[in-house]
Amino acid sequence: IVQREAGLFKEPRNLSQVMMRVKDGAKTVEFYRDIMGMTLVREMVVPNDFTNFFLMNLSEEEKTATPEDEVSKLPKRLWQPALELTFNHGTDKDDAFQVHTGNSDPQGFGHIGFIVDDLEAMCKELEAAGVPFVKKPEDGKMRGLAFISDPSGYRVELIQRAMAIDPELLKAPSP
């Protein structure tokens, strides 16, 4: 449990982080930082074992208001959760190693999601960057969202801000 600094919020708890084990730490950090726009706020290295990378979606105001030597403390100070990537050293060089993303048997963890202002433009940028798609916005019944894969194969949902679900999809099937 990550202990929050006392007195910041009136609520006694909030979601702190989501941890995903990744095959290649450098490639995955690059994906979430350079493609998904997150900020690497902390890197915790346990020599000869693993590295934890903490990334957050920070506003320009949060970035400029935080002194460089205070950035690593943001997961304990801000309300929004961090994405924690755990990289076990050496897995990037092991061709047989795969993380279990939860989307194959046995199913479990499904995906993480980002809300985006312009899904169409984002998808064009992702296609140009060579990011693999699991579902494009025009595919299937659910419009206004897409799924891509990160470097470890985890699914990342992209949701058009203010997306509304077609009420027909929510109706119970007729007996």
Side-chain angles (χ1 to χ4, degrees), residues 21-23 91 94-101 104 152 154:
R21 198 167 310 283
V22 300
K23 178 175 176 71
T91 57
D94 181 352
D95 292 336
F97 179 83
Q98 290 184 321
V99 296
H100 182 62
T101 64
S104 60
S152 289
Y154 289 106

Side-chain angles (χ1 to χ4, degrees), residues 119 135-137 142-147 157-160 163:
L119 181 63
K135 179 206 177 296
K136 292 188 176 182
M142 294 288 289
R143 306 298 173 154
L145 59 88
F147 283 91
E157 183 178 25
L158 307 172
I159 307 161
Q160 174 67 49
M163 174 194 158

Side-chain angles (χ1 to χ4, degrees), residues 60-74:
E60 285 305 315
E61 183 178 303
E62 289 167 327
K63 289 177 191 177
T64 57
T66 307
E68 194 171 321
D69 62 337
E70 296 285 312
V71 171
S72 67
K73 298 175 184 173
L74 290 177

Side-chain angles (χ1 to χ4, degrees), residues 84-125:
E84 176 186 350
L85 304 174
T86 297
F87 166 59
N88 293 312
H89 300 163
T91 57
D92 54 332
K93 294 172 180 59
D94 181 352
D95 292 336
F97 179 83
Q98 290 184 321
V99 296
H100 182 62
T101 64
N103 288 298
S104 60
D105 288 330
Q107 288 189 336
F109 180 84
H111 63 272
I112 61 171
F114 286 79
I115 296 174
V116 301
D117 289 337
D118 187 341
L119 181 63
E120 186 177 332
M122 177 95 184
C123 288
K124 286 179 183 175
E125 289 174 23

Side-chain angles (χ1 to χ4, degrees), residues 5-23:
E5 291 186 14
L8 291 177
F9 304 106
K10 65 179 181 173
E11 295 81 6
R13 71 198 63 79
N14 65 295
L15 180 63
S16 170
Q17 74 249 18
V18 172
M19 186 281 271
M20 299 189 314
R21 198 167 310 283
V22 300
K23 178 175 176 71

Side-chain angles (χ1 to χ4, degrees), residues 18-84:
V18 172
M19 186 281 271
M20 299 189 314
R21 198 167 310 283
V22 300
K23 178 175 176 71
D24 187 321
K27 281 185 183 176
T28 308
V29 167
E30 183 178 295
F31 172 82
Y32 285 103
R33 184 192 61 218
D34 300 343
I35 294 180
M36 298 308 297
M38 299 185 83
T39 301
L40 178 63
V41 296
R42 183 171 180 221
E43 183 174 332
M44 183 184 83
V45 179
V46 177
N48 302 315
D49 198 3
F50 67 92
T51 300
N52 284 339
F53 302 96
F54 293 84
L55 296 107
M56 299 181 80
N57 282 112
L58 301 177
S59 67
E60 285 305 315
E61 183 178 303
E62 289 167 327
K63 289 177 191 177
T64 57
T66 307
E68 194 171 321
D69 62 337
E70 296 285 312
V71 171
S72 67
K73 298 175 184 173
L74 290 177
K76 295 180 180 184
R77 291 185 177 164
L78 297 180
W79 185 257
Q80 72 264 31
L83 177 60
E84 176 186 350

